[in-house]
Amino acid sequence: DIQMTQSPSSLSASVGDRVTITCRASQGIRNDLGWYQQKPGKAPKRLIYAAVTLQSGVPSRFSGSGSGTEFTLTISSLQPEDFATYYCLQHNTYPPTFGPGTTVDIK
Amino acid sequence: QVVLRQWGAGLLKPSETLSLTCAVYGESFSGYYWTWIRQPPGKGLEWIGEINHSGSTNYNPSLKSRVTISVDTSKNQFSLKLRSVSAADAAVYYCARKVAVRPFDYWGQGTLVTVSS
C-alpha cells in the first residue's frame, strides 16, 4: 500500500492566519490526490481534487499544490469555520489510502 | 442534488456479520464506483472497497477475506457485509461516490457500528 504522511499532525492558529499542511506519499502518485475537511460528527467534505482543483462551492482561500510525492494544502486566511481536521487521500494505486489527518484548532 | 442515505444495525456481537445499505438519490447509478469507507472512533479513514453498477468490485486486501459489497441497481442501492466482526471493526462506516479521477465527492451521513458482547 502507498503510505501517506501529513505534517504537522496538529496546529493551533488564529483567525486570519495563513495555514499550510503538507502531505507526502511513499511513492509517486502523479496528481491523484485529494484534500478533505472533517468536522466532529460529520462526514468528510472534499475541498480539492487532482491535487490543485478546487471543488465547486469551496471558498477560494483554500488552495492545493504539488505533484509526485509532495503536496500542500494552504488556507490563505483562516476563518472560524475552518477549524477542523484535514485529510489527504491518494487514489493513484489500490487501495486508496488516506493520510493520518491534521487537526487545526484555535490558538 | 446527489444524496446518499445509509442504514444498518449499529450494535453487533463479536463474530456476527455487519450489514449496511446505502441508497443513492438524485443521480444515475451507472458511471461511478460506489464505495465504503470506515473510521474508528478518534482515528483516521480506511477505504474498505467499491462496486460499480455492473457489479465489478475492488476490495482492500486487509479486509478482502471478510468483505462482500453488492449492488441492487433496481433500487439504486449498494450494500456492505463484513463477516466475523471483532472490536477492531468498531467504527463509523460511510458510503461515498467515486468518480474516476475525482473520488469521494458525495458521502452518506455515517453509521456508528459498535461491537460488544
Side-chain angles (χ1 to χ4, degrees), chain B residues 2-113:
Chain B
V2 180
V3 175
L4 278 66
R5 192 160 293 135
Q6 58 184 102
W7 64 89
L11 178 61
L12 297 172
K13 292 181 169 57
S15 80
E16 290 186 334
T17 296
L18 178 157
S19 182
L20 299 174
T21 298
C22 183
V24 180
Y25 302 97
E27 178 61 271
S28 169
F29 207 63
S30 61
Y32 305 99
Y33 268 89
W34 302 96
T35 303
W36 290 98
I37 293 164
R38 70 180 183 178
Q39 184 173 36
K43 297 188 178 180
L45 298 153
E46 179 181 31
W47 180 83
I48 299 170
E50 64 186 11
I51 192 166
N52 68 5
H53 70 283
S54 62
S56 177
T57 55
N58 294 295
Y59 296 128
N60 193 319
S62 67
L63 296 167
K64 187 173 183 177
S65 63
R66 298 193 291 131
V67 170
T68 300
I69 298 176
S70 59
V71 65
D72 184 341
T73 54
S74 68
K75 296 180 180 179
N76 271 22
Q77 294 177 2
F78 62 108
S79 298
L80 169 70
K81 289 191 185 301
L82 179 65
R83 296 174 291 279
S84 302
V85 299
S86 69
D89 297 310
V92 176
Y93 286 73
Y94 294 102
C95 57
R97 186 180 83 165
K98 188 185 100 172
V99 182
V101 294
R102 297 173 287 156
F104 315 150
D105 53 351
Y106 291 97
W107 295 65
Q109 78 277 19
T111 301
L112 175 63
V113 174

